[in-house]
Coordinates of all heavy atoms in Angstrom, one line a residue:
E46 N 0.8 -1.2 0.0 CA 0.0 0.0 0.0 C 0.9 1.3 0.0 O 0.3 2.4 -0.1 CB -1.0 0.0 1.2 CG -2.1 -1.1 1.1 CD -2.9 -1.2 2.3 OE1 -3.7 -0.3 2.5 OE2 -2.7 -2.1 3.1
S47 N 2.2 1.1 0.1 CA 3.1 2.2 0.0 C 3.5 2.4 -1.5 O 4.3 3.3 -1.8 CB 4.3 2.1 0.9 OG 4.0 2.2 2.2
G48 N 3.1 1.5 -2.3 CA 3.4 1.6 -3.7 C 4.5 0.7 -4.2 O 4.9 0.8 -5.4
L49 N 4.9 -0.2 -3.4 CA 6.0 -1.2 -3.8 C 5.3 -2.5 -4.2 O 4.5 -3.0 -3.5 CB 7.0 -1.4 -2.6 CG 7.8 -0.2 -2.2 CD1 8.7 -0.5 -1.1 CD2 8.6 0.4 -3.4
A50 N 5.8 -3.0 -5.3 CA 5.2 -4.3 -5.8 C 5.6 -5.5 -4.9 O 6.7 -5.5 -4.3 CB 5.8 -4.6 -7.2
T51 N 4.7 -6.4 -4.8 CA 5.0 -7.7 -4.1 C 5.7 -8.6 -5.1 O 5.9 -8.2 -6.2 CB 3.7 -8.3 -3.6 OG1 2.9 -8.6 -4.7 CG2 3.0 -7.4 -2.6
F52 N 6.1 -9.7 -4.6 CA 6.8 -10.7 -5.5 C 6.0 -11.8 -6.1 O 6.1 -12.1 -7.3 CB 8.0 -11.3 -4.7 CG 9.1 -10.3 -4.3 CD1 9.0 -9.6 -3.1 CD2 10.1 -10.1 -5.2 CE1 10.0 -8.7 -2.8 CE2 11.1 -9.2 -4.9 CZ 11.1 -8.5 -3.7
R53 N 5.1 -12.4 -5.3 CA 4.4 -13.6 -5.7 C 3.0 -13.4 -6.1 O 2.3 -14.4 -6.4 CB 4.6 -14.7 -4.6 CG 6.1 -15.0 -4.4 CD 6.3 -16.0 -3.4 NE 7.7 -16.2 -3.2 CZ 8.5 -17.1 -4.0 NH1 7.9 -17.8 -4.9 NH2 9.8 -17.2 -3.8
D54 N 2.5 -12.2 -6.0 CA 1.1 -11.9 -6.6 C 1.1 -12.2 -8.1 O 2.1 -12.2 -8.7 CB 0.7 -10.5 -6.3 CG 0.3 -10.3 -4.8 OD1 0.2 -11.3 -4.1 OD2 0.1 -9.1 -4.4
A55 N -0.1 -12.3 -8.6 CA -0.3 -12.5 -10.1 C 0.4 -11.5 -10.9 O 0.9 -11.7 -12.0 CB -1.7 -12.7 -10.4
D56 N 0.4 -10.2 -10.3 CA 1.1 -9.1 -11.0 C 2.3 -8.7 -10.4 O 2.8 -7.6 -10.5 CB 0.1 -7.9 -11.1 CG -0.3 -7.4 -9.7 OD1 -0.1 -8.1 -8.7 OD2 -0.9 -6.3 -9.6
G57 N 2.9 -9.6 -9.6 CA 4.1 -9.3 -8.8 C 5.4 -9.3 -9.6 O 5.4 -9.6 -10.8
I58 N 6.5 -9.0 -9.0 CA 7.8 -8.9 -9.6 C 8.2 -10.1 -10.3 O 8.7 -10.1 -11.5 CB 8.9 -8.4 -8.6 CG1 8.6 -7.0 -8.1 CG2 10.3 -8.5 -9.2 CD1 9.5 -6.5 -7.0
W59 N 8.0 -11.3 -9.7 CA 8.4 -12.5 -10.3 C 7.5 -13.0 -11.4 O 7.8 -14.0 -12.1 CB 8.6 -13.6 -9.2 CG 9.6 -13.3 -8.2 CD1 9.5 -13.6 -6.8 CD2 10.9 -12.6 -8.3 NE1 10.6 -13.2 -6.2 CE2 11.5 -12.6 -7.0 CE3 11.6 -12.1 -9.4 CZ2 12.7 -12.0 -6.8 CZ3 12.8 -11.5 -9.2 CH2 13.4 -11.4 -7.9
A60 N 6.4 -12.3 -11.6 CA 5.6 -12.6 -12.8 C 6.1 -11.9 -14.0 O 5.8 -12.2 -15.2 CB 4.1 -12.2 -12.5
R61 N 7.0 -10.9 -13.8 CA 7.5 -10.1 -14.9 C 9.0 -10.4 -15.2 O 9.5 -10.1 -16.3 CB 7.3 -8.6 -14.6 CG 5.8 -8.2 -14.3 CD 5.7 -6.7 -14.2 NE 6.5 -6.1 -13.2 CZ 6.1 -5.9 -12.0 NH1 5.0 -6.4 -11.6 NH2 6.9 -5.3 -11.1
V62 N 9.7 -10.8 -14.2 CA 11.2 -11.0 -14.3 C 11.5 -12.4 -13.7 O 11.0 -12.8 -12.7 CB 11.9 -9.9 -13.5 CG1 13.4 -10.1 -13.7 CG2 11.5 -8.5 -13.9
R63 N 12.4 -13.1 -14.4 CA 12.8 -14.4 -14.0 C 13.8 -14.3 -12.8 O 14.8 -13.6 -12.9 CB 13.4 -15.2 -15.1 CG 12.4 -15.8 -16.1 CD 13.1 -16.4 -17.3 NE 14.5 -16.9 -17.1 CZ 14.9 -18.1 -16.9 NH1 14.0 -19.1 -16.9 NH2 16.1 -18.4 -16.8
I64 N 13.5 -15.0 -11.7 CA 14.4 -15.1 -10.6 C 15.8 -15.4 -11.1 O 16.8 -14.8 -10.6 CB 13.9 -16.1 -9.5 CG1 12.6 -15.6 -8.9 CG2 15.0 -16.4 -8.5 CD1 12.0 -16.6 -8.0
E65 N 15.9 -16.4 -11.9 CA 17.2 -16.9 -12.4 C 18.0 -15.8 -13.1 O 19.2 -16.0 -13.3 CB 17.0 -18.1 -13.3 CG 16.4 -19.3 -12.6 CD 14.9 -19.2 -12.6 OE1 14.3 -18.2 -13.0 OE2 14.2 -20.2 -12.2
D66 N 17.4 -14.8 -13.6 CA 18.1 -13.8 -14.4 C 18.6 -12.6 -13.6 O 19.5 -11.9 -14.0 CB 17.1 -13.2 -15.4 CG 16.8 -14.2 -16.6 OD1 17.6 -15.1 -16.7 OD2 15.8 -14.1 -17.2
V67 N 18.0 -12.4 -12.4 CA 18.3 -11.2 -11.6 C 18.6 -11.4 -10.1 O 19.0 -10.5 -9.4 CB 17.3 -10.1 -11.8 CG1 17.2 -9.7 -13.2 CG2 15.9 -10.6 -11.3
A68 N 18.3 -12.5 -9.6 CA 18.3 -12.7 -8.1 C 19.0 -13.9 -7.6 O 18.6 -14.6 -6.7 CB 16.8 -12.6 -7.6
T69 N 20.1 -14.3 -8.3 CA 20.9 -15.4 -7.8 C 22.4 -15.0 -8.0 O 22.7 -14.1 -8.9 CB 20.7 -16.7 -8.7 OG1 21.1 -16.5 -10.0 CG2 19.2 -17.1 -8.7
P70 N 23.3 -15.6 -7.3 CA 24.7 -15.3 -7.5 C 25.2 -15.7 -8.9 O 26.0 -15.0 -9.5 CB 25.4 -16.2 -6.4 CG 24.4 -16.5 -5.4 CD 23.0 -16.5 -6.1
E71 N 24.5 -16.7 -9.5 CA 24.9 -17.2 -10.8 C 24.5 -16.1 -11.8 O 25.2 -15.9 -12.8 CB 24.2 -18.5 -11.1 CG 24.7 -19.7 -10.3 CD 24.2 -19.7 -8.9 OE1 23.2 -19.0 -8.6 OE2 24.7 -20.5 -8.1
A72 N 23.4 -15.4 -11.6 CA 22.9 -14.4 -12.5 C 23.9 -13.2 -12.5 O 24.2 -12.7 -13.5 CB 21.5 -13.9 -12.1
F73 N 24.4 -12.9 -11.3 CA 25.3 -11.8 -11.2 C 26.7 -12.1 -11.9 O 27.3 -11.3 -12.5 CB 25.5 -11.4 -9.7 CG 26.3 -10.2 -9.5 CD1 25.8 -8.9 -9.9 CD2 27.6 -10.2 -8.9 CE1 26.6 -7.8 -9.7 CE2 28.3 -9.1 -8.7 CZ 27.8 -7.8 -9.1
A74 N 27.1 -13.4 -11.7 CA 28.3 -13.8 -12.4 C 28.2 -13.8 -13.9 O 29.1 -13.4 -14.6 CB 28.7 -15.2 -11.8
R75 N 27.0 -14.1 -14.3 CA 26.8 -14.3 -15.8 C 26.5 -12.9 -16.5 O 27.0 -12.7 -17.5 CB 25.6 -15.2 -16.0 CG 25.2 -15.5 -17.5 CD 24.1 -16.5 -17.5 NE 22.9 -16.1 -16.9 CZ 22.4 -16.7 -15.8 NH1 23.1 -17.7 -15.2 NH2 21.3 -16.3 -15.2
D76 N 25.7 -12.1 -15.8 CA 25.3 -10.8 -16.4 C 25.2 -9.8 -15.4 O 24.0 -9.3 -15.0 CB 24.0 -11.0 -17.2 CG 23.7 -9.8 -18.2 OD1 24.4 -8.8 -18.0 OD2 22.8 -10.0 -19.0
P77 N 26.3 -9.3 -14.8 CA 26.1 -8.3 -13.7 C 25.5 -7.0 -14.1 O 24.8 -6.4 -13.3 CB 27.6 -8.1 -13.3 CG 28.4 -8.5 -14.5 CD 27.7 -9.6 -15.1
E78 N 25.6 -6.6 -15.3 CA 24.9 -5.4 -15.8 C 23.4 -5.4 -15.7 O 22.7 -4.5 -15.3 CB 25.4 -5.0 -17.1 CG 26.9 -4.5 -17.2 CD 27.3 -4.1 -18.6 OE1 26.6 -4.4 -19.6 OE2 28.4 -3.5 -18.7
R79 N 22.9 -6.6 -16.1 CA 21.5 -6.8 -16.0 C 21.0 -6.8 -14.6 O 19.9 -6.2 -14.3 CB 21.1 -8.1 -16.7 CG 19.6 -8.4 -16.7 CD 19.2 -9.6 -17.5 NE 17.7 -9.7 -17.6 CZ 17.1 -10.7 -18.2 NH1 17.8 -11.5 -19.0 NH2 15.8 -10.7 -18.2
V80 N 21.7 -7.4 -13.7 CA 21.4 -7.5 -12.3 C 21.4 -6.1 -11.7 O 20.5 -5.6 -11.0 CB 22.3 -8.4 -11.5 CG1 22.0 -8.3 -10.0 CG2 22.1 -9.8 -12.0
H81 N 22.5 -5.3 -12.1 CA 22.6 -3.9 -11.6 C 21.4 -3.1 -12.1 O 20.8 -2.3 -11.4 CB 23.9 -3.3 -12.0 CG 25.0 -3.6 -11.2 ND1 25.0 -3.7 -9.8 CD2 26.3 -4.0 -11.5 CE1 26.2 -4.0 -9.3 NE2 27.0 -4.2 -10.3
D82 N 21.0 -3.3 -13.4 CA 19.9 -2.5 -13.9 C 18.6 -2.8 -13.1 O 17.8 -1.9 -12.9 CB 19.7 -2.8 -15.4 CG 20.7 -2.2 -16.3 OD1 21.5 -1.3 -15.8 OD2 20.9 -2.7 -17.5
F83 N 18.4 -4.1 -12.8 CA 17.2 -4.5 -12.1 C 17.1 -3.8 -10.7 O 16.1 -3.2 -10.3 CB 17.1 -6.0 -11.9 CG 16.0 -6.5 -11.0 CD1 14.7 -6.5 -11.5 CD2 16.3 -7.0 -9.8 CE1 13.7 -7.0 -10.7 CE2 15.3 -7.5 -9.0 CZ 14.0 -7.5 -9.5
Y84 N 18.2 -3.8 -10.0 CA 18.2 -3.2 -8.6 C 18.3 -1.7 -8.7 O 17.9 -1.0 -7.8 CB 19.3 -3.9 -7.8 CG 19.0 -5.3 -7.4 CD1 19.4 -6.4 -8.0 CD2 18.1 -5.5 -6.3 CE1 19.0 -7.7 -7.7 CE2 17.7 -6.7 -5.9 CZ 18.2 -7.8 -6.6 OH 17.8 -9.1 -6.2
N85 N 19.0 -1.2 -9.7 CA 19.0 0.3 -9.8 C 17.6 0.8 -10.0 O 17.2 1.9 -9.4 CB 19.8 0.7 -11.1 CG 21.3 0.5 -10.8 OD1 21.8 0.4 -9.7 ND2 22.1 0.5 -11.9
T86 N 16.8 0.1 -10.8 CA 15.4 0.5 -11.0 C 14.6 0.5 -9.7 O 13.8 1.4 -9.3 CB 14.7 -0.3 -12.0 OG1 15.4 -0.2 -13.3 CG2 13.2 0.1 -12.3
R87 N 14.8 -0.6 -8.9 CA 14.1 -0.7 -7.7 C 14.6 0.3 -6.6 O 13.8 0.9 -5.9 CB 14.3 -2.2 -7.1 CG 13.7 -3.2 -8.0 CD 13.7 -4.6 -7.3 NE 12.9 -4.5 -6.1 CZ 12.9 -5.4 -5.1 NH1 13.8 -6.4 -5.2 NH2 12.1 -5.3 -4.1
R88 N 15.9 0.6 -6.6 CA 16.4 1.6 -5.7 C 15.9 3.0 -6.0 O 15.5 3.7 -5.1 CB 18.0 1.6 -5.8 CG 18.7 2.3 -4.7 CD 20.2 2.3 -4.9 NE 20.7 0.9 -4.8 CZ 21.2 0.3 -5.8 NH1 21.3 0.9 -7.0 NH2 21.7 -0.9 -5.7
A89 N 15.8 3.3 -7.3 CA 15.3 4.6 -7.7 C 13.8 4.7 -7.3 O 13.3 5.8 -6.9 CB 15.4 4.8 -9.2
G90 N 13.0 3.6 -7.5 CA 11.6 3.7 -7.1 C 11.4 3.9 -5.6 O 10.5 4.6 -5.2
L91 N 12.3 3.2 -4.8 CA 12.2 3.3 -3.3 C 12.6 4.8 -2.9 O 11.9 5.3 -2.0 CB 13.1 2.4 -2.7 CG 13.2 2.4 -1.1 CD1 11.8 2.1 -0.5 CD2 14.2 1.3 -0.6
A92 N 13.5 5.4 -3.6 CA 13.9 6.7 -3.2 C 13.0 7.8 -3.8 O 13.2 9.0 -3.4 CB 15.4 7.0 -3.7
S93 N 12.1 7.5 -4.6 CA 11.2 8.5 -5.1 C 10.3 9.0 -4.1 O 10.0 8.4 -3.1 CB 10.3 7.9 -6.3 OG 9.3 7.0 -5.7

C-alpha cells in the first residue's frame, strides 16, 4: 500500500522477471549489468 510491488502476486515482480536472471549469485556472475539495472530501478523507485 506504499506503492511497492510484491513478489508472488499474479502481477508481482516474479511474474515479470525471472528469478534466475536477476536474483541469484549465478545471474550476477553471468550478467552483472542486467542485475545492476534491475536493482537500480528498484532503488530509484524506493527513493522516489
Side-chain angles (χ1 to χ4, degrees):
E46 291 174 76
S47 292
L49 295 179
T51 60
F52 291 89
R53 297 179 182 274
D54 285 349
D56 60 346
I58 291 173
W59 300 142
R61 304 189 301 271
V62 183
R63 281 171 27 101
I64 290 170
E65 297 85 353
D66 292 335
V67 297
T69 68
E71 293 79 13
F73 188 65
R75 182 173 60 249
D76 193 347
E78 291 182 346
R79 180 172 185 178
V80 174
H81 279 317
D82 286 345
F83 174 74
Y84 286 98
N85 286 342
T86 298
R87 296 190 64 198
R88 192 181 297 111
L91 179 59
S93 72

